[in-house]
Amino acid sequence: MNNNLKIQLNIGDIVLATITKISKTYMEMSLGDVDAIMPISEYSWVRRCDVKSRLKVGDQIRTVVIAINNNIVMLSVKRMEIDPWKYIDERFKVGMHVKGIVKEVYSYGAFVELDSNIHGLLHKTQIANYSRDNVKNVLSQGQEIEISILSIEKENHKMSLSMIKTEVVNQ
């Protein structure tokens, strides 16, 4: 990383950054004469966003400067948008029945999208028709299911869900 800042940057500045490296936990970026870092968690409000499938080395993206420490510039994409969980309690309530789209399926359960950038965990013990079968035998990515909201942790961006309908509709 370049330790000699040759341009003036301030927290809150919107800058065009070029991706120079993508790792599992962060991206290295270039602002011309200044190198920067963006943690993968700062790319999207979605917890498990697959950055490597969306971006590649050489891509240029609009970012915002969120910190400058010891000549290390930290960038974010997600902080240019309003946190979708900020008003979660106005849109969703515990006990509410809603439809969602299965986004990811794992051995322990599935992540279900309730709204843009709002995902909740449907634990395998809360899946209808689940009886020691592999979760992937019951649910698959893209399926629409009816769920009930068990809990909402606004501060932690977490939601627990329960499947309330045994039939699953493919989208």
Side-chain angles (χ1 to χ4, degrees):
M1 293 301 248
N2 185 349
N3 290 329
N4 185 10
L5 291 181
K6 296 180 181 174
I7 60 173
Q8 181 65 35
L9 288 174
N10 296 300
I11 293 174
D13 286 352
I14 305 293
V15 295
L16 189 62
T18 303
I19 300 169
T20 58
K21 178 182 176 183
I22 302 175
S23 76
K24 187 175 181 177
T25 57
Y26 67 92
M27 287 187 275
E28 290 181 12
M29 309 182 94
S30 173
L31 303 174
D33 291 338
V34 176
D35 293 326
I37 292 178
M38 181 167 55
I40 296 298
S41 62
E42 287 296 327
Y43 178 71
S44 173
W45 288 108
V46 175
R47 231 187 232 303
R48 287 177 161 65
C49 180
D50 183 9
V51 172
K52 287 185 177 182
S53 71
R54 295 176 182 217
L55 301 171
K56 64 185 181 312
V57 171
D59 284 352
Q60 290 188 322
I61 57 174
R62 283 176 32 107
T63 63
V64 62
V65 177
I66 58 171
I68 303 171
N69 295 319
N70 298 325
N71 289 337
I72 297 174
V73 178
M74 297 282 283
L75 303 173
S76 175
V77 170
K78 76 178 188 180
R79 294 197 200 184
M80 294 190 315
E81 302 171 358
I82 294 174
D83 178 354
W85 287 78
K86 184 174 183 175
Y87 302 106
I88 193 82
D89 46 357
E90 295 174 12
R91 297 167 40 213
F92 298 104
K93 305 274 186 226
V94 171
M96 181 182 270
H97 292 193
V98 295
K99 288 187 179 181
I101 304 295
V102 176
K103 288 297 186 178
E104 297 173 282
V105 181
Y106 297 96
S107 61
Y108 56 85
F111 285 93
V112 179
E113 182 180 63
L114 282 69
D115 200 1
S116 179
N117 292 327
I118 301 291
H119 293 80
L121 174 62
L122 175 61
H123 190 268
K124 66 183 180 183
T125 60
Q126 296 296 324
I127 297 174
N129 293 337
Y130 178 80
S131 59
R132 294 192 176 201
D133 288 334
N134 186 324
V135 175
K136 291 180 180 181
N137 292 337
V138 181
L139 296 175
S140 62
Q141 188 174 355
Q143 288 182 314
E144 182 178 85
I145 58 174
E146 194 170 337
I147 50 179
S148 176
I149 299 171
L150 298 177
S151 69
I152 299 172
E153 293 180 42
K154 181 178 178 176
E155 301 78 28
N156 296 320
H157 292 195
K158 290 183 178 181
M159 189 180 298
S160 295
L161 309 170
S162 178
M163 193 166 151
I164 57 175
K165 211 169 196 180
T166 56
E167 65 182 15
V168 178
V169 181
N170 285 325
Q171 204 182 28

